[in-house]
């Protein structure tokens, strides 16, 4: 790409790679517009650029793209999804939308830089890789000016996808669990991905396909241990190599969680990609630019790390435990209330409540507890469910203080024990912050 762009459209602008690409382009003095599905998230991550709202899964013809390409010199695609959240999502997002974009870009004479994935071939074992490969092929066949960059395992300051999984594993105390320890992995720092994208955008990289990977693969076990050292965690006393049969079970559970909106890094596609290895050929990029992607240890030394990174890794590791604890706590509370409705109602009757009203109150609030236990398991509702738990807990405390103040002196401490539950719900609400 020989001409420097004046106005760039970045797809997936507020994502892990997209946000950094946007900031790097701004430093080059390029006008940047974004495209994304969530205007609230985009405004939070990138408050200083225009992010147009659009769902690429619905933009499947050239005419859908033409309004977004007006005044645009270059499109950079950083959008993607690891696994279907609905039937056909990967095919629409990675292939059909990209083919439509390519047709529109050819007509508008707009160049494209595609951030794909190393290992994206039509014969790959996962829908993710095959759909990526079909999108790449559609771009190359379109006649548009296209540069395709295929990064390996992307590592950076932030944590998302494979990076998050590495940090979660590294945060396990005392022991170091590792699955697929011998799997070959070639990594790339997100700064190097960003540099490659900007180089291509500014005309410093000719059209073609380039793998962005370090020269020498590492075993997955060594990558995890290197991440642990970089984060500053103590060396493990024992390396626990997880048997292969556990992975399908873990993947199935993670996929079930995925249907509830939880984007676990242990889903079936992620594990399948790791099984196949994350490797590519660095020669084309090195020949075109005269530089190599730094090896993992050297790259990690160049990234500053602090307490916040260790805390983030530990919190990611604890997230499933926290959510499960909240669910079980509120579910148990509701079920016990239904089971012991007579005993609970007697406490209210002792203060003058009628039998029907006291029983109705116990049953109502028991089902509120059960509903909150279910709601916290559904990711789109989880944050609000945590706040609702806090609100309901405060209602319990205030009401009980007014109606049955003697419970504060109960030796089993039923009132006091509500307070840690409130704090756990508040902590979980903060942990659920997406980006």
């Amino acid at each position: 790409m020989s001409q420097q762009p004046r106005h760039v459209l970045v797809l997936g602008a507020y994502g892990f790679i997209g946000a950094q690409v946007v900031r790097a382009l701004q430093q080059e003095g390029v006008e940047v517009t974004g495209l994304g599905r969530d205007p609230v998230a985009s405004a939070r991550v990138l408050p200083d650029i225009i992010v147009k709202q659009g769902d690429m899964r619905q933009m499947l013809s050239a005419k859908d793209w033409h309004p977004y390409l007006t005044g645009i010199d270059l499109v950079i695609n950083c959008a993607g999804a690891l696994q279907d959240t609905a039937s056909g999502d990967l095919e629409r997002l990675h292939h059909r939308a990209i083919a439509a974009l390519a047709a529109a870009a050819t007509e508008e004479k707009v160049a494209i830089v595609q951030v794909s994935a190393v290992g994206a071939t039509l014969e790959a074992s996962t829908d993710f890789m095959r759909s990526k490969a079909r999108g790449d092929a559609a771009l190359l066949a379109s006649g548009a000016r296209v540069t395709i960059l295929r990064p390996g395992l992307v590592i950076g300051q932030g944590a998302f996808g494979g990076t998050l999984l590495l940090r979660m594993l590294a945060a396990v105390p005392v022991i170091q669990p590792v699955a697929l320890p011998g799997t070959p992995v070639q990594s790339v720092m997100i700064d190097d991905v960003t540099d490659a994208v900007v180089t291509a955008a500014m005309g410093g990289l000719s059209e073609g396909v380039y793998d962005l990977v370090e020269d020498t693969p590492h075993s997955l076990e060594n990558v995890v241990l290197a991440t642990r050292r970089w984060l500053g965690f103590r060396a493990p006393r024992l390396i626990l190599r997880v048997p292969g049969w556990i992975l399908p079970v873990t993947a199935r559970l993670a996929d079930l969680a995925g249907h509830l909106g939880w984007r676990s890094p242990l889903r079936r596609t992620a594990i399948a990609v790791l099984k196949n290895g994350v490797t590519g050929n660095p020669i084309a990029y090195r020949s075109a630019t005269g530089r190599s992607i730094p090896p993992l240890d050297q790259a990690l030394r160049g990234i500053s790390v602090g307490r916040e990174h260790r805390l983030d890794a530990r919190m990611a590791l604890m997230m499933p435990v926290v959510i499960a604890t909240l669910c079980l706590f509120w579910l148990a509370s509701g079920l016990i209330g239904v089971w012991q409705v007579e005993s609970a109602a007697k406490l209210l009757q002792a203060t003058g409540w009628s039998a029907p009203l006291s029983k109705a109150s116990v049953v109502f609030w028991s089902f509120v507890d059960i509903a909150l236990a279910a709601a916290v398991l559904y990711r789109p509702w989880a944050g609000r469910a945590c706040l609702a738990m806090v609100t309901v807990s405060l209602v319990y405390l205030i009401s009980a203080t007014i109606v049955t103040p003697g419970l504060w002196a109960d030796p089993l401490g039923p009132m006091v024990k509500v307070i840690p539950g409130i704090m756990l719900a508040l902590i979980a609400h903060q942990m659920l912050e997406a980006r």
Side-chain angles (χ1 to χ4, degrees), residues 258-279:
H259 292 302
L260 295 174
W262 298 95
R263 299 165 68 179
S264 168
L266 288 170
R267 286 177 292 173
R268 181 180 67 255
T269 296
I271 290 177
V273 168
L274 283 177
K275 276 186 176 179
N276 295 331
V278 183
T279 58

Side-chain angles (χ1 to χ4, degrees), residues 153 155 166-167 169-170 176-187 189 214 216-231 236 239-241 274 295-298 300:
L153 179 65
I155 296 175
L166 287 177
R167 295 189 187 181
L169 290 172
Q176 182 59 77
V178 181
L180 305 170
T183 296
V185 175
Q186 285 169 285
S187 63
M189 294 299 111
E214 59 186 320
T216 305
H218 305 274
S219 69
L220 181 57
E221 181 175 316
N222 286 337
V223 174
V224 173
L225 292 173
T227 303
R228 190 179 186 113
R229 289 192 299 271
W230 169 68
L231 287 169
I239 296 177
L240 178 63
R241 296 177 178 88
L274 283 177
L296 177 64
D297 288 338
Q298 177 185 332
L300 286 174

Side-chain angles (χ1 to χ4, degrees), residues 186-237:
Q186 285 169 285
S187 63
V188 56
M189 294 299 111
I190 192 170
D191 287 347
D192 293 308
V193 176
T194 303
D195 287 346
V197 171
V198 173
T199 298
M202 303 304 288
L205 189 61
S206 59
E207 297 169 29
V209 181
Y210 303 92
D211 290 348
L212 303 180
V213 293
E214 59 186 320
D215 289 346
T216 305
H218 305 274
S219 69
L220 181 57
E221 181 175 316
N222 286 337
V223 174
V224 173
L225 292 173
T227 303
R228 190 179 186 113
R229 289 192 299 271
W230 169 68
L231 287 169
F233 291 123
R234 290 181 179 178
R237 295 184 180 179

Side-chain angles (χ1 to χ4, degrees), residues 285-328:
Y285 183 71
R286 185 169 62 240
S287 299
T289 62
R291 62 178 185 265
S292 296
I293 300 297
L296 177 64
D297 288 338
Q298 177 185 332
L300 286 174
R301 286 195 297 269
I303 302 177
S304 60
V305 64
R307 176 179 175 273
E308 65 274 16
H309 297 94
R310 290 187 288 274
L311 180 62
D312 184 61
R314 288 177 175 128
M315 290 298 99
L317 183 65
M318 290 299 297
M319 171 72 83
V321 178
V322 169
I323 296 300
T325 299
L326 282 173
C327 174
L328 292 174

Side-chain angles (χ1 to χ4, degrees), residues 33-379:
T33 297
L35 176 71
R37 285 185 293 166
D38 189 342
V40 175
S42 64
R44 187 169 62 245
V45 177
L46 298 169
D48 54 345
I49 73 163
I50 296 172
V51 178
K52 296 181 179 180
Q53 186 172 7
D55 187 344
M56 289 174 58
R57 298 171 301 177
Q58 307 301 322
M59 300 165 64
L60 305 180
S61 68
K63 67 179 182 180
D64 295 326
W65 284 97
H66 282 300
Y68 295 95
L69 299 184
T70 302
I72 297 296
D73 305 304
L74 171 71
V75 175
I76 299 175
N77 179 29
C78 299
L82 182 63
Q83 192 165 316
D84 274 331
T85 53
S87 178
D89 270 4
L90 293 183
E91 174 66 13
R92 288 193 293 266
L93 180 61
H94 294 158
H95 177 210
R96 294 177 59 192
I98 298 306
L101 168 63
T106 302
E107 295 172 11
E108 300 277 357
K109 294 181 170 53
V110 173
I112 300 174
V113 175
Q114 160 94 329
V115 180
S116 184
V118 73
T121 67
L122 297 175
E123 299 78 27
S125 63
T126 65
D127 290 337
F128 170 77
M129 288 297 185
R130 290 193 297 269
S131 62
K132 278 284 190 182
R134 287 192 290 269
D136 293 351
L139 286 172
L140 294 172
S142 67
R145 291 174 291 141
V146 174
T147 302
I148 297 176
L149 304 172
R150 293 175 168 170
L153 179 65
V154 181
I155 296 175
Q157 284 274 8
F160 188 78
T163 306
L164 179 61
L165 176 58
L166 287 177
R167 295 189 187 181
M168 289 171 64
L169 290 172
V172 176
V174 184
I175 65 171
Q176 182 59 77
V178 181
L180 305 170
T183 296
V185 175
Q186 285 169 285
S187 63
V188 56
M189 294 299 111
I190 192 170
D191 287 347
D192 293 308
V193 176
T194 303
D195 287 346
V197 171
V198 173
T199 298
M202 303 304 288
L205 189 61
S206 59
E207 297 169 29
V209 181
Y210 303 92
D211 290 348
L212 303 180
V213 293
E214 59 186 320
D215 289 346
T216 305
H218 305 274
S219 69
L220 181 57
E221 181 175 316
N222 286 337
V223 174
V224 173
L225 292 173
T227 303
R228 190 179 186 113
R229 289 192 299 271
W230 169 68
L231 287 169
F233 291 123
R234 290 181 179 178
R237 295 184 180 179
L238 173 68
I239 296 177
L240 178 63
R241 296 177 178 88
V242 179
W245 63 266
I246 291 180
L247 292 179
V249 177
T250 303
R252 187 176 295 275
L253 293 174
D255 285 349
L256 289 174
H259 292 302
L260 295 174
W262 298 95
R263 299 165 68 179
S264 168
L266 288 170
R267 286 177 292 173
R268 181 180 67 255
T269 296
I271 290 177
V273 168
L274 283 177
K275 276 186 176 179
N276 295 331
V278 183
T279 58
N281 189 339
I283 294 176
Y285 183 71
R286 185 169 62 240
S287 299
T289 62
R291 62 178 185 265
S292 296
I293 300 297
L296 177 64
D297 288 338
Q298 177 185 332
L300 286 174
R301 286 195 297 269
I303 302 177
S304 60
V305 64
R307 176 179 175 273
E308 65 274 16
H309 297 94
R310 290 187 288 274
L311 180 62
D312 184 61
R314 288 177 175 128
M315 290 298 99
L317 183 65
M318 290 299 297
M319 171 72 83
V321 178
V322 169
I323 296 300
T325 299
L326 282 173
C327 174
L328 292 174
F329 174 80
W330 285 83
L331 179 62
S333 175
L335 293 177
I336 291 171
V338 173
W339 178 38
Q340 298 286 348
V341 61
E342 293 289 346
S343 298
K346 286 180 181 178
L347 292 174
L348 296 175
Q349 292 168 26
T351 65
W353 287 44
S354 67
L357 181 60
S358 60
K359 290 180 181 179
S361 177
V362 172
V363 171
F364 172 78
W365 288 109
S366 294
F367 279 104
V368 167
D369 289 359
I370 294 169
L372 289 175
V376 80
L377 292 179
Y378 184 52
R379 180 62 181 85

